[in-house]
C-alpha cells in the first residue's frame, strides 16, 4: 500500500510559493506572468482545465516577449498539473524542459528543486528506484548549504527518499533517511518540519511491531501539529495512533482515536480521509 502523499502535496505548495518569488516584476510581462501564475495555482489541485488555461497565458506571454523566466514558470506549472492528473509522461517532459532552462540560467538551487519534482513524478508512477536516484542527486546539490531553505529542502528530499525505500520494502534504509530528515529539521526554527519524518518513523516502528516507539514518535508529531495548527496532520496522526492501538489489541482506545480523527477530517471535508477513518473504525469493531 502506498504511503499517503500529503507531505509531497505540501512540498508542491511550498515549491510554488517560492517559485512566485523568482519574479522580479522589473517589466510588464513579468508582472502579467505573476498575475496569471497566481490564478493558475489556485486550481492545481481541484480544476486542471482552469489551471491549464492560466498556464497557457503565462506561456503565451513568455513566447511573445522571449522571456525565459516566464517560460520556466509555465513549464513548472504544466509539470505539476499533469502530475496531479496522472499524465506522467507529459509531466516529465514539462519538468525536463524546465530543468534545461534552469541550467541555462545557471540556477543550481532551482535545478535541485526541479530534479526533486521529477523524482516525485517517478515515485507517483511507482518507479521507486528511479525516484531514489533522482532524489539522491537533488540531495547532493544541497550538501554544504546552510541557509534555511536549503536545509529545509534537504530534509524533505531525505524524507521522500525514505518513503521510496519504504515502498520498496527496504525498511532499514527507510529508517536511516527518515532519521536524517529529522536531524536536518532539528536545525530549523520551524518545528512543523518535524511532523513528517516523526510520523514516518512512527509508521515504520508500527510495521516492525515496536508499538511503544511507534506511539512515542506519533505523539511527538501530534504535539507539534497541535502547536503549529496543522489540523489535517493532527487528524491523520490521531488516526494512525488508533491503528497502533488496534495492533496492540486495545480496541477501545483504537475506536476512540479513530472517532476523534473522523470528527476532525469531517470538519475539513477530506473525503479520502473520512473513508479511511470509517474503515479503521469498522475494523476495530470486528
Amino acid at each position: 500500500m502506498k504511503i499517503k502523499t500529503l507531505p509531497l502535496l505540501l512540498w508542491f505548495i511550498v515549491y510554488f510559493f517560492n517559485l512566485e518569488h523568482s519574479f522580479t516584476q522589473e517589466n510588464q510581462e513579468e508582472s502579467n506572468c505573476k498575475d496569471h501564475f497566481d490564478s493558475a495555482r489556485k486550481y492545481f489541485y481541484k480544476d486542471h482545465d482552469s489551471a491549464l488555461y492560466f498556464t497557457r497565458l503565462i506561456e503565451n506571454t513568455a513566447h511573445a516577449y522571449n522571456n525565459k523566466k516566464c517560460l520556466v514558470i509555465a513549464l513548472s506549472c504544466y509539470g505539476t498539473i499533469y502530475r496531479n492528473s496522472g499524465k506522467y509522461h507529459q509531466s516529465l517532459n514539462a519538468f525536463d524542459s524546465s530543468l534545461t532552462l534552469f541550467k541555462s540560467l545557471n540556477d543550481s538551487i532551482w535545478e535541485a528543486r526541479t530534479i526533486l519534482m521529477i523524482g516525485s513524478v517517478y515515485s507517483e508512477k511507482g518507479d521507486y528506484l528511479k525516484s531514489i536516484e533522482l532524489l539522491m542527486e537533488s540531495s547532493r546539490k544541497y550538501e554544504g548549504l546552510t541557509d534555511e531553505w536549503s536545509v529545509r529542502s534537504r530534509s524533505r528530499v531525505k524524507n521522500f527518499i525514505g518513503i521510496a525505500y519504504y515502498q520498496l520494502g527496504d525498511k532499514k534504509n527507510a529508517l536511516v533517511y527518515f532519521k536524517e530528515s529529522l536531524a536536518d529539521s532539528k536545525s530549523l526554527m520551524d518545528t512543523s518540519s518535524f511532523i513528517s519524518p516523526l510520523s514516518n518513523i512512527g509508521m515504520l516502528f508500527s510495521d516492525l511491531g515496536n508499538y511503544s516507539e511507534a506511539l512515542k514518535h506519533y505523539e511527538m508529531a501530534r504535539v507539534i501539529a497541535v502547536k503549529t495548527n496543522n489540523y489535517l496532520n493532527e487528524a491523520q496522526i490521531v488516526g494512525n495512533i488508533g491503528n497502533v492501538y488496534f495492533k496492540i489489541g486495545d480496541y477501545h482506545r483504537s475506536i476512540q482515536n479513530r472517532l476523534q480523527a473522523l470528527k476532525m477530517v469531517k470538519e475539513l471535508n477530506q473525503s479520502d480521509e473520512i473513508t479511511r477513518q470509517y474503515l479503521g473504525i469498522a475494523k476495530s469493531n470486528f
Side-chain angles (χ1 to χ4, degrees):
M1 181 181 294
K2 290 181 69 174
I3 291 180
K4 296 291 292 180
T5 56
L6 178 71
L8 189 55
L9 177 97
L10 292 175
W11 167 259
F12 271 78
I13 293 169
V14 174
Y15 174 85
F16 280 101
F17 174 79
N18 284 275
L19 198 58
E20 175 184 11
H21 291 281
S22 68
F23 287 114
T24 60
Q25 295 193 68
E26 293 175 351
N27 48 52
Q28 185 60 45
E29 65 264 24
E30 289 190 8
S31 178
N32 290 342
C33 284
K34 182 184 181 302
D35 289 341
H36 297 324
F37 169 74
D38 287 340
S39 297
R41 69 175 180 172
K42 293 176 184 176
Y43 299 105
F44 282 154
Y45 305 99
K46 58 183 180 180
D47 184 345
H48 296 152
D49 288 339
S50 295
L52 284 170
Y53 170 78
F54 287 108
T55 299
R56 289 188 188 107
L57 293 180
I58 301 172
E59 184 182 19
N60 291 341
T61 303
H63 288 311
Y65 293 93
N66 193 28
N67 188 306
K68 285 187 176 181
K69 191 171 291 184
C70 287
L71 182 57
V72 81
I73 300 297
L75 289 167
S76 296
C77 289
Y78 280 131
T80 298
I81 296 164
Y82 289 136
R83 172 197 174 274
N84 291 347
S85 55
K87 297 177 180 177
Y88 300 126
H89 180 72
Q90 290 164 275
S91 177
L92 289 171
N93 283 342
F95 278 130
D96 283 340
S97 297
S98 175
L99 179 61
T100 299
L101 266 179
F102 277 128
K103 286 180 177 177
S104 73
L105 295 169
N106 295 316
D107 193 331
S108 59
I109 296 300
W110 276 108
E111 184 182 337
R113 293 170 186 169
T114 306
I115 292 169
L116 166 58
M117 304 300 276
I118 295 170
S120 77
V121 177
Y122 278 105
S123 184
E124 285 292 303
K125 286 179 64 179
D127 189 343
Y128 301 115
L129 289 175
K130 182 65 175 178
S131 177
I132 288 169
E133 176 189 331
L134 289 161
L135 293 170
M136 291 281 198
E137 181 182 352
S138 178
S139 179
R140 285 193 294 271
K141 291 182 179 294
Y142 289 113
E143 292 303 327
L145 300 178
T146 57
D147 63 282
E148 182 178 348
W149 175 252
S150 295
V151 174
R152 188 187 306 278
S153 298
R154 185 169 63 240
S155 171
R156 286 175 172 144
V157 173
K158 289 178 178 178
N159 190 49
F160 297 146
I161 293 171
I163 290 172
Y165 273 121
Y166 180 89
Q167 303 290 15
L168 287 169
D170 186 343
K171 294 178 181 178
K172 181 179 178 181
N173 271 317
L175 183 58
V176 167
Y177 281 96
F178 290 150
K179 286 184 174 180
E180 286 188 10
S181 172
L182 182 60
D184 279 333
S185 294
K186 286 182 176 178
S187 67
L188 300 171
M189 295 296 290
D190 179 13
T191 55
S192 64
S193 62
F194 298 7
I195 296 172
S196 185
L198 280 171
S199 296
N200 286 334
I201 292 170
M203 171 194 65
L204 201 149
F205 277 126
S206 178
D207 283 357
L208 294 172
N210 190 338
Y211 302 126
S212 61
E213 282 296 312
L215 289 171
K216 182 177 80 173
H217 283 85
Y218 276 141
E219 185 58 30
M220 286 191 289
R222 189 194 67 80
V223 168
I224 295 169
V226 171
K227 287 181 178 178
T228 55
N229 296 314
N230 284 291
Y231 200 57
L232 179 55
N233 281 159
E234 182 190 353
Q236 291 176 320
I237 293 163
V238 170
N240 289 337
I241 290 171
N243 189 50
V244 176
Y245 280 121
F246 174 80
K247 290 181 177 182
I248 292 172
D250 188 339
Y251 302 123
H252 177 69
R253 285 190 181 181
S254 176
I255 291 171
Q256 278 187 324
N257 279 276
R258 289 289 193 184
L259 287 172
Q260 182 184 350
L262 177 62
K263 179 178 180 292
M264 295 169 76
V265 294
K266 279 185 173 180
E267 291 173 10
L268 296 169
N269 197 29
Q270 291 285 326
S271 57
D272 288 348
E273 284 296 320
I274 290 170
T275 301
R276 192 165 76 96
Q277 299 309 326
Y278 270 126
L279 289 172
I281 292 167
K283 185 170 66 173
S284 298
N285 277 296
F286 288 98

